[in-house]
Amino acid sequence: MTKTEWDATDIRFRSETARIHGSAEVKQCTIGRYCEIGPRCVLRETALGDFSYFERGGEAIYARIGRFSSIAANVRINALDHPMERLTTHKISYRPNEYFRFLPVDGAFRERRRGRAVIVGHDVWIGHGAVIMPGVTIGNGAVVGANAVVTRDVAAYTIVAGVPAKVLRRRFQQPVAARIEALGWWDWPPERLFEAIPDMQDLPIESFLDKWEAAAAATR
């Protein structure tokens, strides 16, 4: 929803402009409304959905991140890949331009990296110091423990931790998770979010779903 679709003068809402710390490096990225990018973050070719944020020292490259995702300090999304099949894993083979004239960046290797993008869903919490390896998809509502190394896809509403990351438990049982997915609250306009937040704070999850599923049905 754009400012032309709701009252931008409504005093309930703070500025939707993303807050990017002056020490952060953001290149070729798409940053959504209300996003925050903390000190010393480095983002390259990354799309960050509305309300998502990176704490200090976070890094991401070739990644698509949904809305309302919380990314703690020193997280690395899409950790750098090296060509282990070559004579050397050193960057001299794929970024020789840093050392020699007339030898360009290895475009084929860069496209290989781009082809292994990381996908992070909506409402994902990635804990301090976690590393997400190339090509991984993390489903909506998942939680990644601090210092985990995620080498495989993480299912929606699943909690993982460890090195390599393994499933600890589900955040919600499947019927509840399916109802959250169907509700799609991350797509709600600011007015509805404002009204729903007290219920997010006070109601048990199933009571919240009962109330807001009914409200959604009434507006159809």
Side-chain angles (χ1 to χ4, degrees), residues 4-201:
T4 60
E5 296 172 295
W6 59 279
D7 185 359
T9 65
D10 191 324
I11 63 172
R12 292 177 298 172
F13 306 120
R14 297 184 181 274
S15 171
E16 66 180 28
T17 303
R19 290 182 284 177
I20 302 174
H21 193 273
S23 64
E25 297 180 28
V26 179
K27 294 185 178 180
Q28 295 180 271
C29 294
T30 302
I31 308 298
R33 301 174 306 147
Y34 302 105
C35 288
E36 299 175 56
I37 300 174
R40 304 183 305 282
C41 288
V42 180
L43 275 60
R44 300 281 190 275
E45 295 190 40
T46 291
L48 189 63
D50 295 347
F51 293 93
S52 291
Y53 62 87
F54 274 80
E55 296 284 4
R56 64 193 180 280
E59 296 187 27
I61 187 170
Y62 310 136
R64 297 196 297 276
I65 300 166
R67 297 176 177 176
F68 296 93
S69 284
S70 308
I71 301 167
N74 301 321
V75 166
R76 183 71 186 270
I77 296 178
N78 207 340
L80 183 63
D81 196 10
H82 289 256
M84 292 188 290
E85 74 282 2
R86 296 182 180 181
L87 173 68
T88 177
T89 60
H90 191 276
K91 65 181 179 179
I92 196 170
S93 82
Y94 57 89
R95 290 209 300 269
N97 58 304
E98 296 186 14
Y99 307 96
F100 306 106
R101 297 186 179 91
F102 318 121
L103 291 175
V105 169
D106 184 340
F109 181 73
R110 181 167 58 187
E111 290 306 312
R112 187 173 94 180
R113 288 276 291 129
R114 283 176 172 152
R116 301 187 68 198
V118 167
I119 310 299
V120 177
H122 306 298
D123 187 35
V124 173
W125 174 20
I126 302 179
H128 184 106
V131 177
I132 315 301
M133 298 302 288
V136 166
T137 294
I138 300 177
N140 294 336
V143 176
V144 176
N147 297 313
V149 177
V150 182
T151 60
R152 297 182 179 181
D153 292 352
V154 178
Y157 298 95
T158 299
I159 301 171
V160 302
V163 181
K166 296 181 180 179
V167 174
L168 298 183
R169 63 180 175 86
R170 290 192 60 85
R171 181 177 161 198
F172 298 113
Q173 293 303 310
Q174 182 58 36
V176 172
R179 291 174 69 186
I180 298 171
E181 290 277 313
L183 191 64
W185 65 269
W186 40 78
D187 292 326
W188 287 355
E191 295 90 342
R192 189 180 300 176
L193 286 168
F194 183 92
E195 297 299 328
I197 285 170
D199 289 338
M200 292 182 187
Q201 296 169 342

